[in-house]
Amino acid sequence: MSAVLVTLRRLRQDPAPAVGLGLLVLVTAVVFGLAPRILERVADDSLRKVVADASAFNRNIAVIDEQPIRPGSTADPLSEVASEGDRLTAEMPRSVQALIVDRLTVVDSGRWHIEAPTPDPAFVRFRIQPGAESRIHYVSGHAPTAVVRTIDLPPPATPVPGEDVQPTARVLQVALSVNAVQQIHHGLGETVTLTFDSRDPLVGGPRSGIAAMEIVGVFEVDRPADPFWYEDTALEKVSFRSLGGDSRLIDATALIPADAYEPMLGVVPPDITPVRVTWRSFVGPERMRAGPMNDLIRDLRRLETTFPRSQPATRARDSVAMQSGLLPLIQTHAARWTSALAILTVIAIGPAAVALTALALIAAIVARRRRPGLILVRGR
């Protein structure tokens, strides 16, 4: 008891060393306690930034099916399409599903050749994209409807003996962008006939039948950078294909309403229009965590075995494909983070070693100063 009293008396007379030692111990403990959390926060922020800065095609997941899906009810023609999307999403690993914040559907028809004078050979696809109608504005005309009418076709200039001649064609109402109208030189109020493009892998070879489209609206996209568009500019402006030299082909995309899904499938009876359904799953960068990154890489590899990551034109027609650059994006970041972590560890070891050395040195100095008092206490 006397030793404790002597120690307390000395602390009262000379408190600075004791207080300094206590503060050093406190700071060292706080630094060592917070370091893992700070490192985890830095790792999470780094991963999220990499994913957020990537393109929509690289950070998100698109599942593609080129098999016709039957129309749903009259009230919701795309209900069966949505159900199939739910089924395919359920096949993804749970860790991947947890990253998805939204899913949008895009339905594209096979490619049609425009049978009308155009500056260059021009082609068009019908597109159904729920949500697009609220992100565009019409500069002329109005939004297309699902109403289908029939027009008479002129007789062929040179009839082929024994070949049936299609006397009429069904007409779908469509809307085109300002850019598309300018490029194909056909606009509001015009009706142009269409035939399948046999070179389109989705069409899959020669197909008979003639359809037509009536341009009832011309629009502009409100915000092309809106994440909704998935960095896909097909509706906003045409694209060009080159066959070599100065020749080029114009590819346009025509917007039709979801109610026109069934008419589009049967626009050339009795054949079914080939379609490509794409379910675009949006990954939320804020849901990314660096801790289970290796588990996520493993599950993304499993996902690629379920839905092969390939171009639709190079795969079997009866399989479902996936387009995503998320796996290589995460793998590249993981390799870079491993290197950065080694550097951070070396940087962190230096201050920690200095703190521990200082703590040991101060403890030795304090013990040396207290040695005469301890000897006196023991002697008493």
Side-chain angles (χ1 to χ4, degrees), residues 55-57 60 105-108 125 127-129 132 221 223-239 253 276 278 280 282 323:
S55 68
F57 289 96
N60 298 318
T105 304
V106 176
V107 182
D108 287 316
R125 294 185 191 272
R127 169 168 289 189
I128 297 173
Q129 190 168 358
V221 174
R223 292 193 301 127
D226 189 332
F228 168 85
W229 298 111
Y230 208 80
E231 298 180 14
D232 178 3
T233 61
L235 274 177
E236 180 192 3
K237 53 189 177 183
V238 304
S239 59
T253 301
R276 175 183 297 122
T278 305
R280 295 172 173 175
F282 291 79
Q323 289 181 340

PDB file of all heavy atoms in Angstrom, residues 55-57 60 105-108 125 127-129 132 221 223-239 253 276 278 280 282 323:
ATOM      1  N   SER A  55     -17.576   1.910 -68.597  1.00  0.00           N
ATOM      2  CA  SER A  55     -18.696   2.112 -69.519  1.00  0.00           C
ATOM      3  C   SER A  55     -19.866   1.224 -69.118  1.00  0.00           C
ATOM      4  O   SER A  55     -19.711   0.253 -68.373  1.00  0.00           O
ATOM      5  CB  SER A  55     -18.269   1.785 -70.949  1.00  0.00           C
ATOM      6  OG  SER A  55     -18.011   0.395 -71.080  1.00  0.00           O
ATOM      7  N   ALA A  56     -21.045   1.582 -69.605  1.00  0.00           N
ATOM      8  CA  ALA A  56     -22.236   0.805 -69.276  1.00  0.00           C
ATOM      9  C   ALA A  56     -22.104  -0.638 -69.732  1.00  0.00           C
ATOM     10  O   ALA A  56     -22.565  -1.567 -69.058  1.00  0.00           O
ATOM     11  CB  ALA A  56     -23.474   1.448 -69.916  1.00  0.00           C
ATOM     12  N   PHE A  57     -21.456  -0.870 -70.863  1.00  0.00           N
ATOM     13  CA  PHE A  57     -21.314  -2.225 -71.387  1.00  0.00           C
ATOM     14  C   PHE A  57     -20.346  -3.045 -70.541  1.00  0.00           C
ATOM     15  O   PHE A  57     -20.419  -4.270 -70.522  1.00  0.00           O
ATOM     16  CB  PHE A  57     -20.837  -2.180 -72.837  1.00  0.00           C
ATOM     17  CG  PHE A  57     -21.874  -1.677 -73.798  1.00  0.00           C
ATOM     18  CD1 PHE A  57     -21.907  -0.349 -74.179  1.00  0.00           C
ATOM     19  CD2 PHE A  57     -22.844  -2.526 -74.311  1.00  0.00           C
ATOM     20  CE1 PHE A  57     -22.869   0.128 -75.057  1.00  0.00           C
ATOM     21  CE2 PHE A  57     -23.806  -2.072 -75.191  1.00  0.00           C
ATOM     22  CZ  PHE A  57     -23.827  -0.729 -75.562  1.00  0.00           C
ATOM     23  N   ASN A  60     -22.133  -3.301 -66.429  1.00  0.00           N
ATOM     24  CA  ASN A  60     -23.452  -3.911 -66.286  1.00  0.00           C
ATOM     25  C   ASN A  60     -23.486  -5.300 -66.922  1.00  0.00           C
ATOM     26  O   ASN A  60     -22.513  -5.757 -67.499  1.00  0.00           O
ATOM     27  CB  ASN A  60     -24.517  -3.002 -66.902  1.00  0.00           C
ATOM     28  CG  ASN A  60     -24.593  -1.657 -66.205  1.00  0.00           C
ATOM     29  OD1 ASN A  60     -24.539  -1.586 -64.984  1.00  0.00           O
ATOM     30  ND2 ASN A  60     -24.706  -0.590 -66.982  1.00  0.00           N
ATOM     31  N   THR A 105     -35.713  -3.853 -70.315  1.00  0.00           N
ATOM     32  CA  THR A 105     -35.869  -4.792 -71.426  1.00  0.00           C
ATOM     33  C   THR A 105     -35.846  -4.042 -72.751  1.00  0.00           C
ATOM     34  O   THR A 105     -36.440  -2.967 -72.888  1.00  0.00           O
ATOM     35  CB  THR A 105     -37.198  -5.560 -71.290  1.00  0.00           C
ATOM     36  OG1 THR A 105     -37.242  -6.220 -70.028  1.00  0.00           O
ATOM     37  CG2 THR A 105     -37.331  -6.596 -72.398  1.00  0.00           C
ATOM     38  N   VAL A 106     -35.148  -4.637 -73.716  1.00  0.00           N
ATOM     39  CA  VAL A 106     -35.116  -4.102 -75.076  1.00  0.00           C
ATOM     40  C   VAL A 106     -35.420  -5.254 -76.031  1.00  0.00           C
ATOM     41  O   VAL A 106     -34.817  -6.326 -75.926  1.00  0.00           O
ATOM     42  CB  VAL A 106     -33.743  -3.491 -75.416  1.00  0.00           C
ATOM     43  CG1 VAL A 106     -33.714  -3.025 -76.867  1.00  0.00           C
ATOM     44  CG2 VAL A 106     -33.425  -2.333 -74.480  1.00  0.00           C
ATOM     45  N   VAL A 107     -36.339  -5.035 -76.941  1.00  0.00           N
ATOM     46  CA  VAL A 107     -36.703  -6.038 -77.949  1.00  0.00           C
ATOM     47  C   VAL A 107     -36.392  -5.461 -79.322  1.00  0.00           C
ATOM     48  O   VAL A 107     -36.943  -4.418 -79.704  1.00  0.00           O
ATOM     49  CB  VAL A 107     -38.189  -6.428 -77.851  1.00  0.00           C
ATOM     50  CG1 VAL A 107     -38.517  -7.501 -78.891  1.00  0.00           C
ATOM     51  CG2 VAL A 107     -38.535  -6.918 -76.451  1.00  0.00           C
ATOM     52  N   ASP A 108     -35.519  -6.136 -80.058  1.00  0.00           N
ATOM     53  CA  ASP A 108     -35.153  -5.705 -81.408  1.00  0.00           C
ATOM     54  C   ASP A 108     -35.594  -6.760 -82.413  1.00  0.00           C
ATOM     55  O   ASP A 108     -35.415  -7.963 -82.186  1.00  0.00           O
ATOM     56  CB  ASP A 108     -33.642  -5.505 -81.541  1.00  0.00           C
ATOM     57  CG  ASP A 108     -33.167  -4.256 -80.824  1.00  0.00           C
ATOM     58  OD1 ASP A 108     -33.820  -3.214 -80.958  1.00  0.00           O
ATOM     59  OD2 ASP A 108     -32.145  -4.327 -80.117  1.00  0.00           O
ATOM     60  N   ARG A 125     -34.329  -1.701 -88.010  1.00  0.00           N
ATOM     61  CA  ARG A 125     -34.851  -2.672 -87.039  1.00  0.00           C
ATOM     62  C   ARG A 125     -35.986  -2.003 -86.267  1.00  0.00           C
ATOM     63  O   ARG A 125     -35.917  -0.813 -85.951  1.00  0.00           O
ATOM     64  CB  ARG A 125     -33.770  -3.116 -86.044  1.00  0.00           C
ATOM     65  CG  ARG A 125     -32.625  -3.911 -86.631  1.00  0.00           C
ATOM     66  CD  ARG A 125     -31.692  -4.382 -85.507  1.00  0.00           C
ATOM     67  NE  ARG A 125     -30.446  -4.928 -86.027  1.00  0.00           N
ATOM     68  CZ  ARG A 125     -30.268  -6.207 -86.373  1.00  0.00           C
ATOM     69  NH1 ARG A 125     -31.276  -7.053 -86.230  1.00  0.00           N
ATOM     70  NH2 ARG A 125     -29.112  -6.637 -86.831  1.00  0.00           N
ATOM     71  N   ARG A 127     -37.779  -1.529 -82.775  1.00  0.00           N
ATOM     72  CA  ARG A 127     -37.347  -1.660 -81.378  1.00  0.00           C
ATOM     73  C   ARG A 127     -38.490  -1.313 -80.432  1.00  0.00           C
ATOM     74  O   ARG A 127     -39.161  -0.290 -80.588  1.00  0.00           O
ATOM     75  CB  ARG A 127     -36.158  -0.765 -81.071  1.00  0.00           C
ATOM     76  CG  ARG A 127     -35.839  -0.659 -79.567  1.00  0.00           C
ATOM     77  CD  ARG A 127     -34.514  -0.012 -79.275  1.00  0.00           C
ATOM     78  NE  ARG A 127     -33.400  -0.881 -79.653  1.00  0.00           N
ATOM     79  CZ  ARG A 127     -32.128  -0.625 -79.339  1.00  0.00           C
ATOM     80  NH1 ARG A 127     -31.814   0.456 -78.643  1.00  0.00           N
ATOM     81  NH2 ARG A 127     -31.175  -1.449 -79.716  1.00  0.00           N
ATOM     82  N   ILE A 128     -38.655  -2.174 -79.415  1.00  0.00           N
ATOM     83  CA  ILE A 128     -39.546  -1.902 -78.288  1.00  0.00           C
ATOM     84  C   ILE A 128     -38.652  -1.681 -77.075  1.00  0.00           C
ATOM     85  O   ILE A 128     -37.861  -2.562 -76.716  1.00  0.00           O
ATOM     86  CB  ILE A 128     -40.517  -3.077 -78.039  1.00  0.00           C
ATOM     87  CG1 ILE A 128     -41.438  -3.270 -79.250  1.00  0.00           C
ATOM     88  CG2 ILE A 128     -41.331  -2.852 -76.775  1.00  0.00           C
ATOM     89  CD1 ILE A 128     -42.308  -4.516 -79.151  1.00  0.00           C
ATOM     90  N   GLN A 129     -38.763  -0.509 -76.455  1.00  0.00           N
ATOM     91  CA  GLN A 129     -37.919  -0.176 -75.309  1.00  0.00           C
ATOM     92  C   GLN A 129     -38.760   0.564 -74.281  1.00  0.00           C
ATOM     93  O   GLN A 129     -38.816   1.796 -74.266  1.00  0.00           O
ATOM     94  CB  GLN A 129     -36.711   0.662 -75.748  1.00  0.00           C
ATOM     95  CG  GLN A 129     -35.668   0.845 -74.646  1.00  0.00           C
ATOM     96  CD  GLN A 129     -34.374   1.410 -75.194  1.00  0.00           C
ATOM     97  OE1 GLN A 129     -34.225   1.642 -76.395  1.00  0.00           O
ATOM     98  NE2 GLN A 129     -33.413   1.635 -74.311  1.00  0.00           N
ATOM     99  N   ALA A 132     -38.624   4.435 -72.954  1.00  0.00           N
ATOM    100  CA  ALA A 132     -38.049   5.384 -73.914  1.00  0.00           C
ATOM    101  C   ALA A 132     -39.026   6.510 -74.228  1.00  0.00           C
ATOM    102  O   ALA A 132     -38.610   7.656 -74.463  1.00  0.00           O
ATOM    103  CB  ALA A 132     -37.650   4.654 -75.193  1.00  0.00           C
ATOM    104  N   VAL A 221     -33.931  12.695 -78.718  1.00  0.00           N
ATOM    105  CA  VAL A 221     -33.688  12.181 -77.370  1.00  0.00           C
ATOM    106  C   VAL A 221     -33.408  13.351 -76.444  1.00  0.00           C
ATOM    107  O   VAL A 221     -32.632  14.253 -76.765  1.00  0.00           O
ATOM    108  CB  VAL A 221     -32.500  11.187 -77.376  1.00  0.00           C
ATOM    109  CG1 VAL A 221     -32.143  10.753 -75.965  1.00  0.00           C
ATOM    110  CG2 VAL A 221     -32.847   9.974 -78.240  1.00  0.00           C
ATOM    111  N   ARG A 223     -32.041  13.415 -73.160  1.00  0.00           N
ATOM    112  CA  ARG A 223     -30.727  13.389 -72.501  1.00  0.00           C
ATOM    113  C   ARG A 223     -29.981  12.135 -72.948  1.00  0.00           C
ATOM    114  O   ARG A 223     -30.135  11.070 -72.353  1.00  0.00           O
ATOM    115  CB  ARG A 223     -30.867  13.409 -70.983  1.00  0.00           C
ATOM    116  CG  ARG A 223     -31.420  14.722 -70.435  1.00  0.00           C
ATOM    117  CD  ARG A 223     -31.256  14.827 -68.912  1.00  0.00           C
ATOM    118  NE  ARG A 223     -31.925  13.745 -68.207  1.00  0.00           N
ATOM    119  CZ  ARG A 223     -31.336  12.952 -67.317  1.00  0.00           C
ATOM    120  NH1 ARG A 223     -30.049  13.075 -67.062  1.00  0.00           N
ATOM    121  NH2 ARG A 223     -32.022  12.010 -66.694  1.00  0.00           N
ATOM    122  N   PRO A 224     -29.180  12.239 -73.991  1.00  0.00           N
ATOM    123  CA  PRO A 224     -28.470  11.050 -74.493  1.00  0.00           C
ATOM    124  C   PRO A 224     -27.570  10.397 -73.446  1.00  0.00           C
ATOM    125  O   PRO A 224     -27.289   9.200 -73.537  1.00  0.00           O
ATOM    126  CB  PRO A 224     -27.645  11.600 -75.667  1.00  0.00           C
ATOM    127  CG  PRO A 224     -28.373  12.837 -76.097  1.00  0.00           C
ATOM    128  CD  PRO A 224     -28.948  13.411 -74.848  1.00  0.00           C
ATOM    129  N   ALA A 225     -27.095  11.175 -72.453  1.00  0.00           N
ATOM    130  CA  ALA A 225     -26.201  10.618 -71.436  1.00  0.00           C
ATOM    131  C   ALA A 225     -26.951   9.959 -70.284  1.00  0.00           C
ATOM    132  O   ALA A 225     -26.314   9.453 -69.346  1.00  0.00           O
ATOM    133  CB  ALA A 225     -25.294  11.719 -70.878  1.00  0.00           C
ATOM    134  N   ASP A 226     -28.271   9.941 -70.341  1.00  0.00           N
ATOM    135  CA  ASP A 226     -29.061   9.287 -69.298  1.00  0.00           C
ATOM    136  C   ASP A 226     -28.653   7.810 -69.205  1.00  0.00           C
ATOM    137  O   ASP A 226     -28.590   7.108 -70.223  1.00  0.00           O
ATOM    138  CB  ASP A 226     -30.545   9.387 -69.659  1.00  0.00           C
ATOM    139  CG  ASP A 226     -31.460   8.928 -68.534  1.00  0.00           C
ATOM    140  OD1 ASP A 226     -31.032   8.075 -67.731  1.00  0.00           O
ATOM    141  OD2 ASP A 226     -32.597   9.416 -68.451  1.00  0.00           O
ATOM    142  N   PRO A 227     -28.357   7.295 -67.984  1.00  0.00           N
ATOM    143  CA  PRO A 227     -27.975   5.879 -67.847  1.00  0.00           C
ATOM    144  C   PRO A 227     -29.000   4.916 -68.432  1.00  0.00           C
ATOM    145  O   PRO A 227     -28.658   3.786 -68.775  1.00  0.00           O
ATOM    146  CB  PRO A 227     -27.847   5.697 -66.328  1.00  0.00           C
ATOM    147  CG  PRO A 227     -27.537   7.061 -65.806  1.00  0.00           C
ATOM    148  CD  PRO A 227     -28.281   8.012 -66.692  1.00  0.00           C
ATOM    149  N   PHE A 228     -30.257   5.362 -68.558  1.00  0.00           N
ATOM    150  CA  PHE A 228     -31.302   4.515 -69.127  1.00  0.00           C
ATOM    151  C   PHE A 228     -30.901   3.977 -70.493  1.00  0.00           C
ATOM    152  O   PHE A 228     -31.221   2.829 -70.841  1.00  0.00           O
ATOM    153  CB  PHE A 228     -32.608   5.308 -69.235  1.00  0.00           C
ATOM    154  CG  PHE A 228     -33.669   4.636 -70.061  1.00  0.00           C
ATOM    155  CD1 PHE A 228     -34.517   3.699 -69.500  1.00  0.00           C
ATOM    156  CD2 PHE A 228     -33.823   4.937 -71.410  1.00  0.00           C
ATOM    157  CE1 PHE A 228     -35.496   3.075 -70.266  1.00  0.00           C
ATOM    158  CE2 PHE A 228     -34.799   4.330 -72.176  1.00  0.00           C
ATOM    159  CZ  PHE A 228     -35.638   3.394 -71.602  1.00  0.00           C
ATOM    160  N   TRP A 229     -30.201   4.800 -71.287  1.00  0.00           N
ATOM    161  CA  TRP A 229     -29.889   4.410 -72.663  1.00  0.00           C
ATOM    162  C   TRP A 229     -28.746   3.402 -72.744  1.00  0.00           C
ATOM    163  O   TRP A 229     -28.472   2.886 -73.832  1.00  0.00           O
ATOM    164  CB  TRP A 229     -29.553   5.644 -73.493  1.00  0.00           C
ATOM    165  CG  TRP A 229     -30.683   6.618 -73.603  1.00  0.00           C
ATOM    166  CD1 TRP A 229     -30.752   7.862 -73.050  1.00  0.00           C
ATOM    167  CD2 TRP A 229     -31.927   6.419 -74.293  1.00  0.00           C
ATOM    168  NE1 TRP A 229     -31.951   8.460 -73.364  1.00  0.00           N
ATOM    169  CE2 TRP A 229     -32.694   7.601 -74.122  1.00  0.00           C
ATOM    170  CE3 TRP A 229     -32.465   5.371 -75.036  1.00  0.00           C
ATOM    171  CZ2 TRP A 229     -33.967   7.749 -74.661  1.00  0.00           C
ATOM    172  CZ3 TRP A 229     -33.729   5.517 -75.578  1.00  0.00           C
ATOM    173  CH2 TRP A 229     -34.464   6.685 -75.390  1.00  0.00           C
ATOM    174  N   TYR A 230     -28.056   3.157 -71.641  1.00  0.00           N
ATOM    175  CA  TYR A 230     -27.032   2.104 -71.633  1.00  0.00           C
ATOM    176  C   TYR A 230     -25.898   2.405 -72.618  1.00  0.00           C
ATOM    177  O   TYR A 230     -25.252   1.512 -73.150  1.00  0.00           O
ATOM    178  CB  TYR A 230     -27.699   0.768 -71.996  1.00  0.00           C
ATOM    179  CG  TYR A 230     -27.065  -0.471 -71.432  1.00  0.00           C
ATOM    180  CD1 TYR A 230     -27.296  -0.866 -70.123  1.00  0.00           C
ATOM    181  CD2 TYR A 230     -26.266  -1.283 -72.221  1.00  0.00           C
ATOM    182  CE1 TYR A 230     -26.737  -2.025 -69.616  1.00  0.00           C
ATOM    183  CE2 TYR A 230     -25.697  -2.449 -71.710  1.00  0.00           C
ATOM    184  CZ  TYR A 230     -25.947  -2.812 -70.410  1.00  0.00           C
ATOM    185  OH  TYR A 230     -25.382  -3.974 -69.919  1.00  0.00           O
ATOM    186  N   GLU A 231     -25.716   3.708 -72.916  1.00  0.00           N
ATOM    187  CA  GLU A 231     -24.735   4.159 -73.905  1.00  0.00           C
ATOM    188  C   GLU A 231     -24.996   3.552 -75.293  1.00  0.00           C
ATOM    189  O   GLU A 231     -24.085   3.412 -76.115  1.00  0.00           O
ATOM    190  CB  GLU A 231     -23.309   3.845 -73.439  1.00  0.00           C
ATOM    191  CG  GLU A 231     -22.941   4.564 -72.139  1.00  0.00           C
ATOM    192  CD  GLU A 231     -21.542   4.259 -71.664  1.00  0.00           C
ATOM    193  OE1 GLU A 231     -20.745   3.706 -72.442  1.00  0.00           O
ATOM    194  OE2 GLU A 231     -21.233   4.579 -70.497  1.00  0.00           O
ATOM    195  N   ASP A 232     -26.240   3.206 -75.542  1.00  0.00           N
ATOM    196  CA  ASP A 232     -26.671   2.663 -76.837  1.00  0.00           C
ATOM    197  C   ASP A 232     -27.369   3.783 -77.593  1.00  0.00           C
ATOM    198  O   ASP A 232     -28.428   4.267 -77.174  1.00  0.00           O
ATOM    199  CB  ASP A 232     -27.616   1.486 -76.597  1.00  0.00           C
ATOM    200  CG  ASP A 232     -28.152   0.886 -77.895  1.00  0.00           C
ATOM    201  OD1 ASP A 232     -27.748   1.346 -78.985  1.00  0.00           O
ATOM    202  OD2 ASP A 232     -28.980  -0.040 -77.813  1.00  0.00           O
ATOM    203  N   THR A 233     -26.787   4.208 -78.690  1.00  0.00           N
ATOM    204  CA  THR A 233     -27.308   5.353 -79.451  1.00  0.00           C
ATOM    205  C   THR A 233     -28.132   4.933 -80.666  1.00  0.00           C
ATOM    206  O   THR A 233     -28.387   5.754 -81.549  1.00  0.00           O
ATOM    207  CB  THR A 233     -26.141   6.242 -79.914  1.00  0.00           C
ATOM    208  OG1 THR A 233     -25.272   5.476 -80.772  1.00  0.00           O
ATOM    209  CG2 THR A 233     -25.331   6.756 -78.731  1.00  0.00           C
ATOM    210  N   ALA A 234     -28.567   3.673 -80.726  1.00  0.00           N
ATOM    211  CA  ALA A 234     -29.255   3.184 -81.925  1.00  0.00           C
ATOM    212  C   ALA A 234     -30.525   3.962 -82.221  1.00  0.00           C
ATOM    213  O   ALA A 234     -30.834   4.236 -83.394  1.00  0.00           O
ATOM    214  CB  ALA A 234     -29.575   1.699 -81.775  1.00  0.00           C
ATOM    215  N   LEU A 235     -31.294   4.330 -81.188  1.00  0.00           N
ATOM    216  CA  LEU A 235     -32.521   5.086 -81.431  1.00  0.00           C
ATOM    217  C   LEU A 235     -32.224   6.542 -81.761  1.00  0.00           C
ATOM    218  O   LEU A 235     -32.962   7.176 -82.513  1.00  0.00           O
ATOM    219  CB  LEU A 235     -33.440   5.013 -80.204  1.00  0.00           C
ATOM    220  CG  LEU A 235     -34.374   3.814 -80.108  1.00  0.00           C
ATOM    221  CD1 LEU A 235     -35.153   3.869 -78.802  1.00  0.00           C
ATOM    222  CD2 LEU A 235     -35.334   3.752 -81.283  1.00  0.00           C
ATOM    223  N   GLU A 236     -31.158   7.072 -81.184  1.00  0.00           N
ATOM    224  CA  GLU A 236     -30.852   8.492 -81.361  1.00  0.00           C
ATOM    225  C   GLU A 236     -30.321   8.809 -82.749  1.00  0.00           C
ATOM    226  O   GLU A 236     -30.680   9.829 -83.349  1.00  0.00           O
ATOM    227  CB  GLU A 236     -29.839   8.929 -80.303  1.00  0.00           C
ATOM    228  CG  GLU A 236     -29.440  10.387 -80.399  1.00  0.00           C
ATOM    229  CD  GLU A 236     -28.236  10.705 -79.529  1.00  0.00           C
ATOM    230  OE1 GLU A 236     -27.686   9.776 -78.905  1.00  0.00           O
ATOM    231  OE2 GLU A 236     -27.839  11.885 -79.494  1.00  0.00           O
ATOM    232  N   LYS A 237     -29.455   7.943 -83.266  1.00  0.00           N
ATOM    233  CA  LYS A 237     -28.851   8.225 -84.563  1.00  0.00           C
ATOM    234  C   LYS A 237     -28.490   6.924 -85.267  1.00  0.00           C
ATOM    235  O   LYS A 237     -28.342   5.873 -84.639  1.00  0.00           O
ATOM    236  CB  LYS A 237     -27.608   9.104 -84.413  1.00  0.00           C
ATOM    237  CG  LYS A 237     -26.590   8.564 -83.431  1.00  0.00           C
ATOM    238  CD  LYS A 237     -25.492   9.582 -83.175  1.00  0.00           C
ATOM    239  CE  LYS A 237     -24.496   9.082 -82.139  1.00  0.00           C
ATOM    240  NZ  LYS A 237     -23.463  10.090 -81.836  1.00  0.00           N
ATOM    241  N   VAL A 238     -28.331   7.010 -86.579  1.00  0.00           N
ATOM    242  CA  VAL A 238     -28.025   5.819 -87.370  1.00  0.00           C
ATOM    243  C   VAL A 238     -26.561   5.446 -87.173  1.00  0.00           C
ATOM    244  O   VAL A 238     -25.747   6.233 -86.697  1.00  0.00           O
ATOM    245  CB  VAL A 238     -28.306   6.058 -88.865  1.00  0.00           C
ATOM    246  CG1 VAL A 238     -29.750   6.494 -89.077  1.00  0.00           C
ATOM    247  CG2 VAL A 238     -27.330   7.092 -89.432  1.00  0.00           C
ATOM    248  N   SER A 239     -26.250   4.218 -87.554  1.00  0.00           N
ATOM    249  CA  SER A 239     -24.856   3.771 -87.614  1.00  0.00           C
ATOM    250  C   SER A 239     -24.555   3.372 -89.046  1.00  0.00           C
ATOM    251  O   SER A 239     -25.460   3.176 -89.866  1.00  0.00           O
ATOM    252  CB  SER A 239     -24.616   2.602 -86.661  1.00  0.00           C
ATOM    253  OG  SER A 239     -25.456   1.506 -86.989  1.00  0.00           O
ATOM    254  N   THR A 253     -32.868   2.571 -86.497  1.00  0.00           N
ATOM    255  CA  THR A 253     -33.716   1.841 -85.549  1.00  0.00           C
ATOM    256  C   THR A 253     -35.005   2.619 -85.378  1.00  0.00           C
ATOM    257  O   THR A 253     -34.983   3.835 -85.104  1.00  0.00           O
ATOM    258  CB  THR A 253     -33.019   1.679 -84.186  1.00  0.00           C
ATOM    259  OG1 THR A 253     -31.788   0.973 -84.373  1.00  0.00           O
ATOM    260  CG2 THR A 253     -33.898   0.897 -83.225  1.00  0.00           C
ATOM    261  N   ARG A 276     -34.617 -10.266 -81.056  1.00  0.00           N
ATOM    262  CA  ARG A 276     -33.572 -10.398 -80.031  1.00  0.00           C
ATOM    263  C   ARG A 276     -34.056  -9.665 -78.793  1.00  0.00           C
ATOM    264  O   ARG A 276     -34.310  -8.459 -78.827  1.00  0.00           O
ATOM    265  CB  ARG A 276     -32.250  -9.807 -80.512  1.00  0.00           C
ATOM    266  CG  ARG A 276     -31.151  -9.797 -79.441  1.00  0.00           C
ATOM    267  CD  ARG A 276     -29.869  -9.131 -79.932  1.00  0.00           C
ATOM    268  NE  ARG A 276     -29.298  -9.864 -81.043  1.00  0.00           N
ATOM    269  CZ  ARG A 276     -29.056  -9.347 -82.241  1.00  0.00           C
ATOM    270  NH1 ARG A 276     -29.346  -8.074 -82.477  1.00  0.00           N
ATOM    271  NH2 ARG A 276     -28.526 -10.091 -83.191  1.00  0.00           N
ATOM    272  N   THR A 278     -33.177  -8.442 -75.039  1.00  0.00           N
ATOM    273  CA  THR A 278     -32.033  -8.149 -74.181  1.00  0.00           C
ATOM    274  C   THR A 278     -32.532  -7.626 -72.847  1.00  0.00           C
ATOM    275  O   THR A 278     -33.287  -6.647 -72.803  1.00  0.00           O
ATOM    276  CB  THR A 278     -31.107  -7.099 -74.822  1.00  0.00           C
ATOM    277  OG1 THR A 278     -30.710  -7.542 -76.126  1.00  0.00           O
ATOM    278  CG2 THR A 278     -29.863  -6.890 -73.973  1.00  0.00           C
ATOM    279  N   ARG A 280     -31.266  -5.862 -69.709  1.00  0.00           N
ATOM    280  CA  ARG A 280     -30.117  -5.094 -69.246  1.00  0.00           C
ATOM    281  C   ARG A 280     -30.198  -4.920 -67.729  1.00  0.00           C
ATOM    282  O   ARG A 280     -31.077  -4.209 -67.223  1.00  0.00           O
ATOM    283  CB  ARG A 280     -30.083  -3.730 -69.939  1.00  0.00           C
ATOM    284  CG  ARG A 280     -29.853  -3.829 -71.452  1.00  0.00           C
ATOM    285  CD  ARG A 280     -30.027  -2.465 -72.127  1.00  0.00           C
ATOM    286  NE  ARG A 280     -29.636  -2.525 -73.537  1.00  0.00           N
ATOM    287  CZ  ARG A 280     -29.760  -1.521 -74.396  1.00  0.00           C
ATOM    288  NH1 ARG A 280     -30.274  -0.366 -73.977  1.00  0.00           N
ATOM    289  NH2 ARG A 280     -29.380  -1.655 -75.651  1.00  0.00           N
ATOM    290  N   PHE A 282     -28.663  -3.437 -64.434  1.00  0.00           N
ATOM    291  CA  PHE A 282     -27.785  -2.342 -64.029  1.00  0.00           C
ATOM    292  C   PHE A 282     -27.152  -2.662 -62.674  1.00  0.00           C
ATOM    293  O   PHE A 282     -27.856  -2.924 -61.695  1.00  0.00           O
ATOM    294  CB  PHE A 282     -28.554  -1.032 -63.960  1.00  0.00           C
ATOM    295  CG  PHE A 282     -29.002  -0.514 -65.300  1.00  0.00           C
ATOM    296  CD1 PHE A 282     -30.115  -1.045 -65.939  1.00  0.00           C
ATOM    297  CD2 PHE A 282     -28.295   0.490 -65.938  1.00  0.00           C
ATOM    298  CE1 PHE A 282     -30.525  -0.579 -67.179  1.00  0.00           C
ATOM    299  CE2 PHE A 282     -28.690   0.969 -67.185  1.00  0.00           C
ATOM    300  CZ  PHE A 282     -29.803   0.435 -67.803  1.00  0.00           C
ATOM    301  N   GLN A 323     -23.508 -10.364 -72.366  1.00  0.00           N
ATOM    302  CA  GLN A 323     -22.530  -9.343 -72.735  1.00  0.00           C
ATOM    303  C   GLN A 323     -22.226  -8.519 -71.490  1.00  0.00           C
ATOM    304  O   GLN A 323     -23.096  -7.814 -70.980  1.00  0.00           O
ATOM    305  CB  GLN A 323     -23.055  -8.450 -73.863  1.00  0.00           C
ATOM    306  CG  GLN A 323     -23.124  -9.148 -75.211  1.00  0.00           C
ATOM    307  CD  GLN A 323     -23.614  -8.238 -76.309  1.00  0.00           C
ATOM    308  OE1 GLN A 323     -24.243  -7.219 -76.060  1.00  0.00           O
ATOM    309  NE2 GLN A 323     -23.353  -8.610 -77.552  1.00  0.00           N
TER     310      GLN A 323
END
